[in-house]
Amino acid sequence: MTDQSTGTDAEETPRTEAEEPRTEAQEPRTEAEETPRTDAQKPRTDADADADADTDTEAEAEAEKDVTPEEAAALLRRRRVRRRIWIALAVPVLLLVLPVLVALTALRINYMGDPADGTYTRGKDAIWLGHAWVDGRKKDADVTALAARLKDTGIRDLYVHSGPLEHDGTLPASSYPNARWFIAAVHREMPQIRVQAWLGDVLASESPHGMRLERAATRAAVVRSTREILATGFEGVHFDLEPLHSGDQDYLTLLDALHRVTAAQDAPLSVAAHQIDPVPGFHSFWGTTTGHPKWWSQKFFGEVARRVDQIAVMSYDTIQPLEGTYGGYVAQQTSLALEVTPPSTDLLMGLPFYHENRFGHWNHAETVPAGVRGVRLGLSRTDADRANFGVALYVDFAAEEADWTAYREGWVR
C-alpha cells in the first residue's frame, strides 16, 4: 500500500518576481524591433495572397505539362498504396478500441438508476483478517478494538488467515499457534460472530510450482488438514485457491470431499470465487491471449456454488478505469452470481478495503461507495429479497476509515 505523494520543496516554494513569466510589455525591445518595418516586413494583403495563388497555379499547370501518362499512373498507384496502408493500420486499431469503448459505455449505463428500497445488509457480511490474529502478534486489546469496530455492522463471519497450505495439502499446526486464544477471545467479545479458518495456496495451473489438485494424495491431504483445523475450534473453513481455471473438475471433486467433512461437524464450507465471464466465453479468449483465464464461466460458478455453504466473489482487481464502470461491473457480477447461486447458499460480493494503483486495480476507480452501489443495483434487478446475501470486506489490515464509513453509510444504514 502506498501513501499519498507530497510535493517537493521546489513545488511548494512560491515564485519570486524574477521567476514570473515575463509579458511582452515587460520584455526590453531590441534594436530590430525599434526599426521601422520595410516593405518585406509589412503585413501581407489579400491581393498579395491572390497573386501568389495565381503563380502557384500556373507553376502546377506548367509542371503537369511535363508529366507523362506513365508517370501520372505511377503517382496514382503510390497514392493508392499509401491509402491502403493507412486503412490496414486503422482497421486493427478500430477493432480493438471500439469494443472496449462499447463495453465501458455499457457498464457505465449499468451503473445508472436507483437501488430498490431495503437492499441493505442482511446481517450475513464477512471480513478477511490477516495472519497476525493467530500468530501471536495480536493481543486482547486488539480483539476489544475489533469488537468495537464491528459493533452494529452486518459482519457475521471472520475469515482469519491460518495457512497457507503446503503444496502437498498439509498444514502444520505451527501455522496458527494462537488460534485457540483468538477464537475464545472472539466468543467472549463478539458471541454472535463465527470464526472461520482462511486457507489457501497457489495452484500449479499456470506454472510448474504450486499445489496440484489432479493428485488424489494432495486432495486427501487437504481434507485431513480441514479435519485438523476444525478440531482446533474453528467454526468453518474458507478456501482460496488461485489461479483456479474455469471447469476444473479436480476442484469440484475436492469440494465434494470437503463438504462431507464440514457437514458432519455442522460447520460451513466457504470459498473465495473468481469473477464470472462478463460476456460468454470471455475466460477462454483471455486465457488464449494472456495465458491467465481470470474469469469463470457462469455455469462453472453455479457448479461451485451448489457444493458449498458460502461463496464470496472476489469482485475487485477488475481492470476498470473509472468509478462508474467499476460500479456497473459489480452490478453485473452480482446479477450473474445471483442467477446461478442456490438460495440456500450464502452469496457474498467482495468490496475493496485496500488501496493500490497498478494494472488490474486502480484506486480511484475501485472504491467502496461504487462497489456498494453496484451490489445494491445488481441485487435490486435480480433478486431484491434474497435472504442469504451479503458483502465481504478485503482486507482488515489495509482498510482506511473512509472505507468503513462508506460500508456503514451505503450498506449497513
Side-chain angles (χ1 to χ4, degrees), residues 8-21:
T8 64
D9 292 340
E11 291 170 334
E12 295 172 350
T13 305
R15 286 182 180 271
T16 64
E17 182 179 352
E19 293 173 318
E20 290 292 339

PDB file of all heavy atoms in Angstrom, residues 8-21:
ATOM      1  N   THR A   8       7.430  18.395  -3.785  1.00  0.00           N
ATOM      2  CA  THR A   8       8.827  18.638  -3.454  1.00  0.00           C
ATOM      3  C   THR A   8       8.970  20.041  -2.907  1.00  0.00           C
ATOM      4  O   THR A   8       8.059  20.864  -2.991  1.00  0.00           O
ATOM      5  CB  THR A   8       9.698  18.491  -4.707  1.00  0.00           C
ATOM      6  OG1 THR A   8       9.321  19.497  -5.642  1.00  0.00           O
ATOM      7  CG2 THR A   8       9.510  17.131  -5.337  1.00  0.00           C
ATOM      8  N   ASP A   9      10.161  20.331  -2.345  1.00  0.00           N
ATOM      9  CA  ASP A   9      10.392  21.681  -1.832  1.00  0.00           C
ATOM     10  C   ASP A   9      10.241  22.699  -2.938  1.00  0.00           C
ATOM     11  O   ASP A   9       9.697  23.784  -2.751  1.00  0.00           O
ATOM     12  CB  ASP A   9      11.802  21.782  -1.235  1.00  0.00           C
ATOM     13  CG  ASP A   9      11.914  20.931   0.028  1.00  0.00           C
ATOM     14  OD1 ASP A   9      10.857  20.616   0.593  1.00  0.00           O
ATOM     15  OD2 ASP A   9      13.043  20.606   0.424  1.00  0.00           O
ATOM     16  N   ALA A  10      10.740  22.346  -4.134  1.00  0.00           N
ATOM     17  CA  ALA A  10      10.646  23.295  -5.248  1.00  0.00           C
ATOM     18  C   ALA A  10       9.207  23.584  -5.595  1.00  0.00           C
ATOM     19  O   ALA A  10       8.844  24.703  -5.947  1.00  0.00           O
ATOM     20  CB  ALA A  10      11.387  22.743  -6.460  1.00  0.00           C
ATOM     21  N   GLU A  11       8.323  22.548  -5.503  1.00  0.00           N
ATOM     22  CA  GLU A  11       6.917  22.745  -5.852  1.00  0.00           C
ATOM     23  C   GLU A  11       6.200  23.598  -4.820  1.00  0.00           C
ATOM     24  O   GLU A  11       5.246  24.286  -5.125  1.00  0.00           O
ATOM     25  CB  GLU A  11       6.230  21.393  -5.974  1.00  0.00           C
ATOM     26  CG  GLU A  11       6.707  20.597  -7.166  1.00  0.00           C
ATOM     27  CD  GLU A  11       6.203  19.183  -7.118  1.00  0.00           C
ATOM     28  OE1 GLU A  11       5.932  18.697  -6.008  1.00  0.00           O
ATOM     29  OE2 GLU A  11       6.082  18.580  -8.194  1.00  0.00           O
ATOM     30  N   GLU A  12       6.664  23.539  -3.560  1.00  0.00           N
ATOM     31  CA  GLU A  12       5.965  24.263  -2.512  1.00  0.00           C
ATOM     32  C   GLU A  12       6.463  25.687  -2.356  1.00  0.00           C
ATOM     33  O   GLU A  12       5.869  26.496  -1.669  1.00  0.00           O
ATOM     34  CB  GLU A  12       6.142  23.512  -1.187  1.00  0.00           C
ATOM     35  CG  GLU A  12       5.469  22.147  -1.211  1.00  0.00           C
ATOM     36  CD  GLU A  12       5.799  21.337   0.009  1.00  0.00           C
ATOM     37  OE1 GLU A  12       6.688  21.771   0.764  1.00  0.00           O
ATOM     38  OE2 GLU A  12       5.168  20.300   0.216  1.00  0.00           O
ATOM     39  N   THR A  13       7.636  26.041  -2.961  1.00  0.00           N
ATOM     40  CA  THR A  13       8.205  27.371  -2.805  1.00  0.00           C
ATOM     41  C   THR A  13       7.495  28.351  -3.718  1.00  0.00           C
ATOM     42  O   THR A  13       7.400  28.121  -4.912  1.00  0.00           O
ATOM     43  CB  THR A  13       9.706  27.342  -3.154  1.00  0.00           C
ATOM     44  OG1 THR A  13      10.336  26.350  -2.346  1.00  0.00           O
ATOM     45  CG2 THR A  13      10.331  28.699  -2.910  1.00  0.00           C
ATOM     46  N   PRO A  14       6.980  29.504  -3.197  1.00  0.00           N
ATOM     47  CA  PRO A  14       6.315  30.476  -4.068  1.00  0.00           C
ATOM     48  C   PRO A  14       7.288  31.055  -5.085  1.00  0.00           C
ATOM     49  O   PRO A  14       8.496  31.163  -4.834  1.00  0.00           O
ATOM     50  CB  PRO A  14       5.838  31.556  -3.084  1.00  0.00           C
ATOM     51  CG  PRO A  14       5.903  30.925  -1.734  1.00  0.00           C
ATOM     52  CD  PRO A  14       6.992  29.922  -1.803  1.00  0.00           C
ATOM     53  N   ARG A  15       6.770  31.444  -6.235  1.00  0.00           N
ATOM     54  CA  ARG A  15       7.611  32.063  -7.253  1.00  0.00           C
ATOM     55  C   ARG A  15       8.102  33.430  -6.772  1.00  0.00           C
ATOM     56  O   ARG A  15       7.364  34.178  -6.143  1.00  0.00           O
ATOM     57  CB  ARG A  15       6.833  32.292  -8.554  1.00  0.00           C
ATOM     58  CG  ARG A  15       6.569  31.045  -9.366  1.00  0.00           C
ATOM     59  CD  ARG A  15       5.848  31.457 -10.631  1.00  0.00           C
ATOM     60  NE  ARG A  15       5.549  30.339 -11.482  1.00  0.00           N
ATOM     61  CZ  ARG A  15       6.375  29.879 -12.417  1.00  0.00           C
ATOM     62  NH1 ARG A  15       7.534  30.458 -12.608  1.00  0.00           N
ATOM     63  NH2 ARG A  15       6.035  28.854 -13.160  1.00  0.00           N
ATOM     64  N   THR A  16       9.336  33.743  -7.083  1.00  0.00           N
ATOM     65  CA  THR A  16       9.804  35.115  -6.851  1.00  0.00           C
ATOM     66  C   THR A  16       9.471  35.933  -8.075  1.00  0.00           C
ATOM     67  O   THR A  16       9.104  35.414  -9.131  1.00  0.00           O
ATOM     68  CB  THR A  16      11.332  35.117  -6.642  1.00  0.00           C
ATOM     69  OG1 THR A  16      11.951  34.680  -7.841  1.00  0.00           O
ATOM     70  CG2 THR A  16      11.718  34.200  -5.476  1.00  0.00           C
ATOM     71  N   GLU A  17       9.660  37.256  -7.952  1.00  0.00           N
ATOM     72  CA  GLU A  17       9.348  38.126  -9.093  1.00  0.00           C
ATOM     73  C   GLU A  17      10.204  37.769 -10.287  1.00  0.00           C
ATOM     74  O   GLU A  17       9.761  37.784 -11.427  1.00  0.00           O
ATOM     75  CB  GLU A  17       9.582  39.589  -8.696  1.00  0.00           C
ATOM     76  CG  GLU A  17       9.238  40.573  -9.823  1.00  0.00           C
ATOM     77  CD  GLU A  17       9.460  42.014  -9.406  1.00  0.00           C
ATOM     78  OE1 GLU A  17       9.731  42.238  -8.217  1.00  0.00           O
ATOM     79  OE2 GLU A  17       9.343  42.886 -10.265  1.00  0.00           O
ATOM     80  N   ALA A  18      11.448  37.351 -10.000  1.00  0.00           N
ATOM     81  CA  ALA A  18      12.340  37.012 -11.102  1.00  0.00           C
ATOM     82  C   ALA A  18      11.891  35.768 -11.836  1.00  0.00           C
ATOM     83  O   ALA A  18      12.189  35.569 -12.990  1.00  0.00           O
ATOM     84  CB  ALA A  18      13.763  36.812 -10.574  1.00  0.00           C
ATOM     85  N   GLU A  19      11.118  34.890 -11.145  1.00  0.00           N
ATOM     86  CA  GLU A  19      10.697  33.639 -11.764  1.00  0.00           C
ATOM     87  C   GLU A  19       9.398  33.775 -12.527  1.00  0.00           C
ATOM     88  O   GLU A  19       9.007  32.884 -13.240  1.00  0.00           O
ATOM     89  CB  GLU A  19      10.532  32.560 -10.689  1.00  0.00           C
ATOM     90  CG  GLU A  19      11.838  32.161 -10.045  1.00  0.00           C
ATOM     91  CD  GLU A  19      11.611  31.241  -8.884  1.00  0.00           C
ATOM     92  OE1 GLU A  19      10.668  31.486  -8.099  1.00  0.00           O
ATOM     93  OE2 GLU A  19      12.350  30.265  -8.750  1.00  0.00           O
ATOM     94  N   GLU A  20       8.660  34.894 -12.336  1.00  0.00           N
ATOM     95  CA  GLU A  20       7.386  35.070 -13.006  1.00  0.00           C
ATOM     96  C   GLU A  20       7.593  35.172 -14.506  1.00  0.00           C
ATOM     97  O   GLU A  20       8.547  35.804 -14.967  1.00  0.00           O
ATOM     98  CB  GLU A  20       6.690  36.337 -12.504  1.00  0.00           C
ATOM     99  CG  GLU A  20       6.195  36.243 -11.082  1.00  0.00           C
ATOM    100  CD  GLU A  20       5.054  35.254 -10.961  1.00  0.00           C
ATOM    101  OE1 GLU A  20       4.418  34.959 -11.979  1.00  0.00           O
ATOM    102  OE2 GLU A  20       4.822  34.762  -9.850  1.00  0.00           O
ATOM    103  N   PRO A  21       6.711  34.558 -15.293  1.00  0.00           N
ATOM    104  CA  PRO A  21       6.811  34.701 -16.754  1.00  0.00           C
ATOM    105  C   PRO A  21       6.719  36.168 -17.150  1.00  0.00           C
ATOM    106  O   PRO A  21       5.895  36.911 -16.611  1.00  0.00           O
ATOM    107  CB  PRO A  21       5.608  33.904 -17.272  1.00  0.00           C
ATOM    108  CG  PRO A  21       5.247  32.993 -16.140  1.00  0.00           C
ATOM    109  CD  PRO A  21       5.589  33.746 -14.892  1.00  0.00           C
TER     110      PRO A  21
END
